[in-house]
Amino acid sequence: MTAAPTGIGARVKRTEDQRFLTGRGRYVDDLALARPTYAYFLRSPHAHAKIRSIDTAAAAAMPGVVRIFTGKDTAEAKVGSLICGWVVKDKDGNPHKAPGHPPIAIDTVRYVGDTVAMVVAETASQARDAAEAIKVDYQVQPACVDLARALDKGAAQVHPEAPGNLCYDWEIGVKADVEAAFAKAAHVTKLDLVNNRLIPNAMEPRAAAADYDAGTGQYTLWSTSQNPHVLRLILSAFVLGIPEHKLRVVAPDVGGGFGSKIFCYADETLVVWAAPRVGRPIKWTAERNESFQTDAHGRDHVTHAELALDKDGKFLALKVETIANMGSYLSTFSTAVPTYLYATLLAGQYTTPLIYANVKAAFTHTAPVDAYRGAGRPEATFVIESIVSKAAAELKIDPAELRRRNFIPSTAFPYQTPVALQYDSGNYPPIIDEATKVSDYKGFEGRRAEAKSRGKLRGIGFSSYIEACGLAPSQVIGQLGGGVGQWEAAQIRFNPTGNVQVLTGSHSHGQGHETTFAQIVSDKLGVPLEQIEVVHGDTATTPFGMGSYGSRSLAVGGSAIMKAADKIIAKGKKIAAHLLEASVADIAFENGTFKVAGTDKAVPLGQVVFAAYVPHNYPITEVEPGMDENAFYDPANFVYPAGTQVCEVEIDPETGTTEIVSFTAIDDFGNIINPMIVEGQVHGGIVQGVGQALLENAVYDKSSGQLISGSFMDYTMPRADDVPSFKVGYKVTPCPHNPLGVKGCGEAGAIAAPAAVMNAVRDALGPLGVRDVPMPATPLAVWQTIQGAQRKAAE
Amino acid sequence: MYDFAYHRAKSAADATALLKGKSEGRAMAGGMTLIPTLKQRLARPSDVVDLAGAKDLAGIKAEGGGLTIGAMTRHGAVATSTEVKSTIPALASLAGHIGDPQVRNRGTIGGSVANNDPAADYPAAVLALGATINTTTRKIAADQFFKGLFETALGEGELITSISFPKPEKAAYVKFPNPASRYAMVGVFVAKTAGGVRVAVTGAGPGVFRVKAMEDALAKNFSSAAIKDIKVPTDGLNSDIHGSAEYRAHLVGVMARRAVDAASK
Ligand SMILES: Cc1cc2nc3c(=O)[nH]c(=O)nc-3n(C[C@H](O)[C@H](O)[C@H](O)COP(=O)(O)OP(=O)(O)OC[C@H]3O[C@@H](n4cnc5c(N)ncnc54)[C@H](O)[C@@H]3O)c2cc1C
């Protein structure tokens, strides 16, 4: 591939930013609908209560009220349950417990924020006024909130269908083999971790607007979705029973998702369902406090892990026990996150030959928990990279050295891990070498001493992560219980005048696909960037796509575009052969021009396209007119980005404040299409990871189940001044099985950073005798940890 | 928000007249606290009287060696005022660390002090500097003004018109921000004035308070060493997910020492 200034590898400025930065983005809430109505959802103020009765009479009489719906209405209309699309089988082969999830609670509410009624009115404010006048008689019940106790005897029960609050008890690996290895170990490192619960907080809150055309029976839903086709499939085939072709889902500009907009929620379901009943379009936009309460949350694990090492520090076996929070109801992909996206990653970058993991998923009276940037892989990385650094500290082996000793050698790829995945490619030692160089690891002890002279505790931490992304081979997903295929679709449609529409099943909600995908097409077909338009997010216009999550858009969606481009070239060659009076075998395509090899006879692609639409001089008996090709791409394997991050912190022991003074990230994302966009993804990911490590924490009151961190006044989002300027770099081992040689970059930062930061914090506090610090390492947590260590030292 | 009648006042007198007889009437300064409260439906005023057009309420004046700052003076104006920076630099610096630029361009000293949020910064300065709160009906000394959680000595319909600060000999404010809101989790304003040393703490308790033990120690020896061993009792201090009462009590000591050091520079 040749490197044109706008082609693959170029730092092209994001073409979509012009409209975003000038306020011309078009989001769901911007939509102007004729005679709109507005929905407001009355939500449960209790974590667990029986609904004795609901009285809507006074509310229905309020000004502007159009309709009020309760669980009685949806139950009578036989609205289906919201679904979980991934079946996880427990140790005994039984499918996970799947209690129903009615879009409006019928007789029981199960978390603060559970939907109790839907009010539709002439204005959003009137809908809310009326909702306040609805009288709900709740009989408050004890709530199960504390994950660590959720599976205990006597815990309040969330669903009768899931006794003991157990959704599944799942395992991977052979426990007996692992135990045998532990018996022979020279050293065992043990670790208890809590992976703190996070709230996604996309900048644009979730929104939905629906319209029903009684003339055609056609529904349209505008939704803040990362995957409009998947949403259509769930709503039509599983929940509402609308024929799929009668439901159009449009996801216009979407302001961030981070996973939280993958899922099918009650809100959009109800807006679609109610549209024909109201007879007018309905709009709903979440208020920020609703986002806090009802967006699917992320992470939330309690884990005990043990690592067995031989006398040389080689890893012999890893054993992990995790309780994962599912929340009150199973969100769309919730069951897969702590199993197939978590335990299968526990080999990390290492040759650990034996791994056993047991995951118990628990129901609690909290918001549903599902995929959030990284989904399972940050949790796995946090376990592995924490325990490896702890082992290094215990054995007094340099943490970089211990990692090097255990890396999978570059000659071992493709590498079969003991936890199902086969890594396709990678070369880890040069990455950590570069990371130690860029972070001046050698000079660290000098900096630690200098910090000490100022009364500060300085620490350094590593995190060498692996991730499996680019979801992924459909066959494997199916074998693991996934309910959908995981290919991607693309269509390249030339117009007669030579400009191009690229229709993709991926969805951009901040990632910059309009630029990256156009660069691929520009590079491959030699069409100037300005003549390429990337179209996504509308089931009526784009080919069926699986959407964007799991860092799959480029590796899978981009590969589909490559395949479609190959078809364009193949067809173009036939037309060019006719125009140039040569044989197809002699036609070569280069820089946007078809040439007869070894001659100066050539015809540009634009002319070939024109001939395809105005086929006056055309091989019409062999080739169809038009230049419009589509392709589906199902990958052969996941892609496996990997890298090493090095974080350096300084802690003020008087206040417990942690400052990140330096942060290095060296990643292998395979080939890079647009380095500027990739850096943006890495920066954003690291900031989210730093957020988890030091700042963000979703806290529910342990007895009442109220969300204490329910606004930005209490939920600490990272700000620009919380992070230093990052040092990022790349090492490239191209992916061997996709046509672009690319791996994903969207989640890497968030996957690796929590462990890097926490290892640095632990290292800083190590001299005080501290071995672990709770995450997030807030000033309070660090101060309390220091106090505890000082008390212990004084004893 | 619920519906209310909106009025624009041209002066303090006009505002007082507009509020008269309206038991559910509320003055609005920059709306930085009031508007979020309305949006969350936590308040239901019948009338809102906007003070933005009351020219007589804004502005910074040098007076009697100190400063008089109009109630409607925005935090940004205090932070950047050369008058404030030269007379009471600690006050300019305090204002410059309130919220973010948007908040500083809307929020006002009168609104902040009238609201008496237990985590607000200004009350610490007002109390430590021994300022006087001038209202539409009287003058109130700082020690008599702040009454506990969101409560002040202001009567119904009484508005703050300005606040007069005497010039201190030395002063500094050091704040430990709440990680999420960045209001003060603990903020300590230390001032050495003609009337003695005053130490005022915000964020730690249900309202701004003075620490007598520190004031006495500093009066004898204005150095951070002098208060090294003074512990603030944890009784009555706030405790939440960001800080326990013990942590806040500890931070009062740390912030006080840092403020003394900063004031001594
Ligand atoms: C995002 C954010 C961050 C913030 N961070 C900080 C921070 O770090 N530190 C801090 O100290 N503050 C902080 N604040 C508060 C801010 O400083 C404002 O000063 C405060 O919200 C008051 O706002 P206002 O002046 O606009 O008053 P309004 O919101 O308009 O009024 C507040 C109250 O005071 C009353 N009132 C207003 N003016 C008068 C008057 N002249 N006389 C009598 N009563 C009056 C009103 O009736 C109302 O009850 C923050 C606010 C926001 C929104």
PDB file of all heavy atoms in Angstrom, chain B residues 178-207:
ATOM      1  N   ASN B 178     -12.719  18.759  47.669  1.00  0.00           N
ATOM      2  CA  ASN B 178     -13.420  17.494  47.513  1.00  0.00           C
ATOM      3  C   ASN B 178     -13.069  16.982  46.115  1.00  0.00           C
ATOM      4  O   ASN B 178     -13.165  17.718  45.139  1.00  0.00           O
ATOM      5  CB  ASN B 178     -14.930  17.765  47.638  1.00  0.00           C
ATOM      6  CG  ASN B 178     -15.771  16.544  47.361  1.00  0.00           C
ATOM      7  OD1 ASN B 178     -15.648  15.923  46.314  1.00  0.00           O
ATOM      8  ND2 ASN B 178     -16.645  16.209  48.289  1.00  0.00           N
ATOM      9  N   PRO B 179     -12.637  15.702  46.014  1.00  0.00           N
ATOM     10  CA  PRO B 179     -12.174  15.227  44.715  1.00  0.00           C
ATOM     11  C   PRO B 179     -13.241  15.341  43.620  1.00  0.00           C
ATOM     12  O   PRO B 179     -12.916  15.595  42.468  1.00  0.00           O
ATOM     13  CB  PRO B 179     -11.832  13.756  44.970  1.00  0.00           C
ATOM     14  CG  PRO B 179     -11.702  13.602  46.443  1.00  0.00           C
ATOM     15  CD  PRO B 179     -12.523  14.685  47.072  1.00  0.00           C
ATOM     16  N   ALA B 180     -14.498  15.158  43.978  1.00  0.00           N
ATOM     17  CA  ALA B 180     -15.548  15.182  42.955  1.00  0.00           C
ATOM     18  C   ALA B 180     -16.023  16.600  42.676  1.00  0.00           C
ATOM     19  O   ALA B 180     -15.951  17.086  41.553  1.00  0.00           O
ATOM     20  CB  ALA B 180     -16.710  14.301  43.385  1.00  0.00           C
ATOM     21  N   SER B 181     -16.499  17.283  43.701  1.00  0.00           N
ATOM     22  CA  SER B 181     -17.125  18.594  43.471  1.00  0.00           C
ATOM     23  C   SER B 181     -16.116  19.727  43.426  1.00  0.00           C
ATOM     24  O   SER B 181     -16.378  20.764  42.852  1.00  0.00           O
ATOM     25  CB  SER B 181     -18.124  18.881  44.586  1.00  0.00           C
ATOM     26  OG  SER B 181     -17.435  19.195  45.789  1.00  0.00           O
ATOM     27  N   ARG B 182     -14.997  19.510  44.036  1.00  0.00           N
ATOM     28  CA  ARG B 182     -13.944  20.528  44.177  1.00  0.00           C
ATOM     29  C   ARG B 182     -14.366  21.733  45.006  1.00  0.00           C
ATOM     30  O   ARG B 182     -13.702  22.760  45.013  1.00  0.00           O
ATOM     31  CB  ARG B 182     -13.337  20.914  42.838  1.00  0.00           C
ATOM     32  CG  ARG B 182     -12.623  19.716  42.205  1.00  0.00           C
ATOM     33  CD  ARG B 182     -11.563  20.104  41.234  1.00  0.00           C
ATOM     34  NE  ARG B 182     -10.854  18.919  40.760  1.00  0.00           N
ATOM     35  CZ  ARG B 182     -10.000  18.914  39.755  1.00  0.00           C
ATOM     36  NH1 ARG B 182      -9.738  20.020  39.117  1.00  0.00           N
ATOM     37  NH2 ARG B 182      -9.381  17.813  39.387  1.00  0.00           N
ATOM     38  N   TYR B 183     -15.479  21.625  45.701  1.00  0.00           N
ATOM     39  CA  TYR B 183     -15.751  22.551  46.799  1.00  0.00           C
ATOM     40  C   TYR B 183     -14.711  22.206  47.875  1.00  0.00           C
ATOM     41  O   TYR B 183     -13.980  21.221  47.756  1.00  0.00           O
ATOM     42  CB  TYR B 183     -17.143  22.283  47.377  1.00  0.00           C
ATOM     43  CG  TYR B 183     -18.279  23.016  46.712  1.00  0.00           C
ATOM     44  CD1 TYR B 183     -18.705  22.660  45.438  1.00  0.00           C
ATOM     45  CD2 TYR B 183     -18.962  24.030  47.375  1.00  0.00           C
ATOM     46  CE1 TYR B 183     -19.778  23.311  44.843  1.00  0.00           C
ATOM     47  CE2 TYR B 183     -20.037  24.682  46.784  1.00  0.00           C
ATOM     48  CZ  TYR B 183     -20.440  24.326  45.521  1.00  0.00           C
ATOM     49  OH  TYR B 183     -21.498  24.956  44.941  1.00  0.00           O
ATOM     50  N   ALA B 184     -14.684  22.969  48.946  1.00  0.00           N
ATOM     51  CA  ALA B 184     -13.718  22.679  50.002  1.00  0.00           C
ATOM     52  C   ALA B 184     -14.153  21.444  50.790  1.00  0.00           C
ATOM     53  O   ALA B 184     -15.270  21.389  51.277  1.00  0.00           O
ATOM     54  CB  ALA B 184     -13.603  23.868  50.937  1.00  0.00           C
ATOM     55  N   MET B 185     -13.277  20.453  50.873  1.00  0.00           N
ATOM     56  CA  MET B 185     -13.543  19.364  51.812  1.00  0.00           C
ATOM     57  C   MET B 185     -13.060  19.846  53.172  1.00  0.00           C
ATOM     58  O   MET B 185     -13.693  19.616  54.185  1.00  0.00           O
ATOM     59  CB  MET B 185     -12.821  18.089  51.403  1.00  0.00           C
ATOM     60  CG  MET B 185     -13.326  16.887  52.151  1.00  0.00           C
ATOM     61  SD  MET B 185     -13.277  15.443  51.144  1.00  0.00           S
ATOM     62  CE  MET B 185     -11.678  14.841  51.629  1.00  0.00           C
ATOM     63  N   VAL B 186     -11.918  20.502  53.116  1.00  0.00           N
ATOM     64  CA  VAL B 186     -11.434  21.277  54.260  1.00  0.00           C
ATOM     65  C   VAL B 186     -10.714  22.495  53.690  1.00  0.00           C
ATOM     66  O   VAL B 186      -9.815  22.358  52.870  1.00  0.00           O
ATOM     67  CB  VAL B 186     -10.452  20.463  55.139  1.00  0.00           C
ATOM     68  CG1 VAL B 186      -9.772  21.383  56.148  1.00  0.00           C
ATOM     69  CG2 VAL B 186     -11.170  19.338  55.861  1.00  0.00           C
ATOM     70  N   GLY B 187     -11.136  23.669  54.118  1.00  0.00           N
ATOM     71  CA  GLY B 187     -10.438  24.894  53.726  1.00  0.00           C
ATOM     72  C   GLY B 187     -10.149  25.686  54.980  1.00  0.00           C
ATOM     73  O   GLY B 187     -11.020  25.821  55.841  1.00  0.00           O
ATOM     74  N   VAL B 188      -8.921  26.161  55.112  1.00  0.00           N
ATOM     75  CA  VAL B 188      -8.570  26.920  56.314  1.00  0.00           C
ATOM     76  C   VAL B 188      -8.039  28.297  55.905  1.00  0.00           C
ATOM     77  O   VAL B 188      -7.116  28.395  55.095  1.00  0.00           O
ATOM     78  CB  VAL B 188      -7.524  26.172  57.177  1.00  0.00           C
ATOM     79  CG1 VAL B 188      -7.177  26.999  58.421  1.00  0.00           C
ATOM     80  CG2 VAL B 188      -8.036  24.799  57.584  1.00  0.00           C
ATOM     81  N   PHE B 189      -8.680  29.318  56.451  1.00  0.00           N
ATOM     82  CA  PHE B 189      -8.241  30.694  56.222  1.00  0.00           C
ATOM     83  C   PHE B 189      -7.615  31.193  57.521  1.00  0.00           C
ATOM     84  O   PHE B 189      -8.249  31.179  58.565  1.00  0.00           O
ATOM     85  CB  PHE B 189      -9.438  31.574  55.834  1.00  0.00           C
ATOM     86  CG  PHE B 189      -9.034  32.821  55.080  1.00  0.00           C
ATOM     87  CD1 PHE B 189      -9.358  32.973  53.734  1.00  0.00           C
ATOM     88  CD2 PHE B 189      -8.322  33.839  55.716  1.00  0.00           C
ATOM     89  CE1 PHE B 189      -8.979  34.114  53.031  1.00  0.00           C
ATOM     90  CE2 PHE B 189      -7.944  34.978  55.013  1.00  0.00           C
ATOM     91  CZ  PHE B 189      -8.268  35.119  53.662  1.00  0.00           C
ATOM     92  N   VAL B 190      -6.349  31.560  57.431  1.00  0.00           N
ATOM     93  CA  VAL B 190      -5.644  32.082  58.598  1.00  0.00           C
ATOM     94  C   VAL B 190      -5.353  33.560  58.355  1.00  0.00           C
ATOM     95  O   VAL B 190      -4.853  33.916  57.287  1.00  0.00           O
ATOM     96  CB  VAL B 190      -4.322  31.311  58.826  1.00  0.00           C
ATOM     97  CG1 VAL B 190      -3.507  31.956  59.935  1.00  0.00           C
ATOM     98  CG2 VAL B 190      -4.603  29.856  59.150  1.00  0.00           C
ATOM     99  N   ALA B 191      -5.698  34.399  59.311  1.00  0.00           N
ATOM    100  CA  ALA B 191      -5.444  35.842  59.153  1.00  0.00           C
ATOM    101  C   ALA B 191      -4.870  36.424  60.429  1.00  0.00           C
ATOM    102  O   ALA B 191      -5.352  36.146  61.529  1.00  0.00           O
ATOM    103  CB  ALA B 191      -6.736  36.561  58.792  1.00  0.00           C
ATOM    104  N   LYS B 192      -3.838  37.229  60.233  1.00  0.00           N
ATOM    105  CA  LYS B 192      -3.296  37.982  61.365  1.00  0.00           C
ATOM    106  C   LYS B 192      -3.777  39.420  61.153  1.00  0.00           C
ATOM    107  O   LYS B 192      -3.411  40.062  60.160  1.00  0.00           O
ATOM    108  CB  LYS B 192      -1.765  37.906  61.351  1.00  0.00           C
ATOM    109  CG  LYS B 192      -1.146  38.445  62.608  1.00  0.00           C
ATOM    110  CD  LYS B 192       0.331  38.052  62.709  1.00  0.00           C
ATOM    111  CE  LYS B 192       0.849  38.511  64.069  1.00  0.00           C
ATOM    112  NZ  LYS B 192       2.237  38.959  63.985  1.00  0.00           N
ATOM    113  N   THR B 193      -4.659  39.854  62.030  1.00  0.00           N
ATOM    114  CA  THR B 193      -5.266  41.171  61.856  1.00  0.00           C
ATOM    115  C   THR B 193      -4.970  42.027  63.075  1.00  0.00           C
ATOM    116  O   THR B 193      -4.429  41.547  64.074  1.00  0.00           O
ATOM    117  CB  THR B 193      -6.800  41.053  61.715  1.00  0.00           C
ATOM    118  OG1 THR B 193      -7.317  40.580  62.968  1.00  0.00           O
ATOM    119  CG2 THR B 193      -7.198  40.089  60.620  1.00  0.00           C
ATOM    120  N   ALA B 194      -5.390  43.283  62.973  1.00  0.00           N
ATOM    121  CA  ALA B 194      -5.201  44.200  64.105  1.00  0.00           C
ATOM    122  C   ALA B 194      -5.865  43.640  65.360  1.00  0.00           C
ATOM    123  O   ALA B 194      -5.356  43.775  66.479  1.00  0.00           O
ATOM    124  CB  ALA B 194      -5.790  45.566  63.758  1.00  0.00           C
ATOM    125  N   GLY B 195      -6.989  42.946  65.139  1.00  0.00           N
ATOM    126  CA  GLY B 195      -7.721  42.396  66.276  1.00  0.00           C
ATOM    127  C   GLY B 195      -7.202  41.061  66.775  1.00  0.00           C
ATOM    128  O   GLY B 195      -7.821  40.445  67.629  1.00  0.00           O
ATOM    129  N   GLY B 196      -6.107  40.568  66.212  1.00  0.00           N
ATOM    130  CA  GLY B 196      -5.573  39.269  66.630  1.00  0.00           C
ATOM    131  C   GLY B 196      -5.542  38.267  65.488  1.00  0.00           C
ATOM    132  O   GLY B 196      -5.849  38.607  64.345  1.00  0.00           O
ATOM    133  N   VAL B 197      -5.203  37.045  65.824  1.00  0.00           N
ATOM    134  CA  VAL B 197      -5.132  35.998  64.807  1.00  0.00           C
ATOM    135  C   VAL B 197      -6.469  35.268  64.769  1.00  0.00           C
ATOM    136  O   VAL B 197      -7.038  34.948  65.813  1.00  0.00           O
ATOM    137  CB  VAL B 197      -3.999  35.001  65.118  1.00  0.00           C
ATOM    138  CG1 VAL B 197      -3.985  33.864  64.088  1.00  0.00           C
ATOM    139  CG2 VAL B 197      -2.654  35.702  65.131  1.00  0.00           C
ATOM    140  N   ARG B 198      -6.955  35.019  63.576  1.00  0.00           N
ATOM    141  CA  ARG B 198      -8.213  34.274  63.434  1.00  0.00           C
ATOM    142  C   ARG B 198      -8.018  33.129  62.464  1.00  0.00           C
ATOM    143  O   ARG B 198      -7.386  33.273  61.425  1.00  0.00           O
ATOM    144  CB  ARG B 198      -9.330  35.203  62.946  1.00  0.00           C
ATOM    145  CG  ARG B 198      -9.722  36.246  64.006  1.00  0.00           C
ATOM    146  CD  ARG B 198     -10.572  37.357  63.411  1.00  0.00           C
ATOM    147  NE  ARG B 198     -11.904  36.913  63.035  1.00  0.00           N
ATOM    148  CZ  ARG B 198     -13.017  37.213  63.707  1.00  0.00           C
ATOM    149  NH1 ARG B 198     -12.961  37.933  64.821  1.00  0.00           N
ATOM    150  NH2 ARG B 198     -14.186  36.797  63.273  1.00  0.00           N
ATOM    151  N   VAL B 199      -8.526  31.981  62.842  1.00  0.00           N
ATOM    152  CA  VAL B 199      -8.421  30.772  62.012  1.00  0.00           C
ATOM    153  C   VAL B 199      -9.833  30.277  61.746  1.00  0.00           C
ATOM    154  O   VAL B 199     -10.552  29.923  62.686  1.00  0.00           O
ATOM    155  CB  VAL B 199      -7.608  29.667  62.739  1.00  0.00           C
ATOM    156  CG1 VAL B 199      -7.568  28.386  61.903  1.00  0.00           C
ATOM    157  CG2 VAL B 199      -6.196  30.155  63.045  1.00  0.00           C
ATOM    158  N   ALA B 200     -10.254  30.293  60.486  1.00  0.00           N
ATOM    159  CA  ALA B 200     -11.609  29.850  60.154  1.00  0.00           C
ATOM    160  C   ALA B 200     -11.546  28.636  59.232  1.00  0.00           C
ATOM    161  O   ALA B 200     -10.740  28.587  58.308  1.00  0.00           O
ATOM    162  CB  ALA B 200     -12.384  30.973  59.491  1.00  0.00           C
ATOM    163  N   VAL B 201     -12.411  27.691  59.541  1.00  0.00           N
ATOM    164  CA  VAL B 201     -12.402  26.414  58.819  1.00  0.00           C
ATOM    165  C   VAL B 201     -13.731  26.220  58.097  1.00  0.00           C
ATOM    166  O   VAL B 201     -14.795  26.340  58.711  1.00  0.00           O
ATOM    167  CB  VAL B 201     -12.189  25.240  59.799  1.00  0.00           C
ATOM    168  CG1 VAL B 201     -12.244  23.902  59.064  1.00  0.00           C
ATOM    169  CG2 VAL B 201     -10.866  25.399  60.544  1.00  0.00           C
ATOM    170  N   THR B 202     -13.667  25.890  56.826  1.00  0.00           N
ATOM    171  CA  THR B 202     -14.877  25.564  56.077  1.00  0.00           C
ATOM    172  C   THR B 202     -14.771  24.134  55.551  1.00  0.00           C
ATOM    173  O   THR B 202     -13.681  23.570  55.506  1.00  0.00           O
ATOM    174  CB  THR B 202     -15.101  26.574  54.927  1.00  0.00           C
ATOM    175  OG1 THR B 202     -16.387  26.324  54.340  1.00  0.00           O
ATOM    176  CG2 THR B 202     -14.040  26.442  53.849  1.00  0.00           C
ATOM    177  N   GLY B 203     -15.905  23.560  55.222  1.00  0.00           N
ATOM    178  CA  GLY B 203     -15.915  22.216  54.618  1.00  0.00           C
ATOM    179  C   GLY B 203     -15.925  21.083  55.621  1.00  0.00           C
ATOM    180  O   GLY B 203     -16.498  20.036  55.361  1.00  0.00           O
ATOM    181  N   ALA B 204     -15.288  21.290  56.754  1.00  0.00           N
ATOM    182  CA  ALA B 204     -15.113  20.179  57.697  1.00  0.00           C
ATOM    183  C   ALA B 204     -16.366  19.916  58.525  1.00  0.00           C
ATOM    184  O   ALA B 204     -16.644  18.778  58.890  1.00  0.00           O
ATOM    185  CB  ALA B 204     -13.931  20.465  58.620  1.00  0.00           C
ATOM    186  N   GLY B 205     -17.104  20.965  58.818  1.00  0.00           N
ATOM    187  CA  GLY B 205     -18.257  20.808  59.705  1.00  0.00           C
ATOM    188  C   GLY B 205     -19.550  21.251  59.044  1.00  0.00           C
ATOM    189  O   GLY B 205     -19.583  21.531  57.842  1.00  0.00           O
ATOM    190  N   PRO B 206     -20.610  21.358  59.816  1.00  0.00           N
ATOM    191  CA  PRO B 206     -21.890  21.776  59.255  1.00  0.00           C
ATOM    192  C   PRO B 206     -21.910  23.251  58.863  1.00  0.00           C
ATOM    193  O   PRO B 206     -22.845  23.708  58.219  1.00  0.00           O
ATOM    194  CB  PRO B 206     -22.886  21.500  60.393  1.00  0.00           C
ATOM    195  CG  PRO B 206     -22.076  21.393  61.634  1.00  0.00           C
ATOM    196  CD  PRO B 206     -20.708  20.957  61.230  1.00  0.00           C
ATOM    197  N   GLY B 207     -20.899  23.977  59.251  1.00  0.00           N
ATOM    198  CA  GLY B 207     -20.787  25.378  58.861  1.00  0.00           C
ATOM    199  C   GLY B 207     -19.381  25.833  59.184  1.00  0.00           C
ATOM    200  O   GLY B 207     -18.608  25.120  59.817  1.00  0.00           O
TER     201      GLY B 207
END
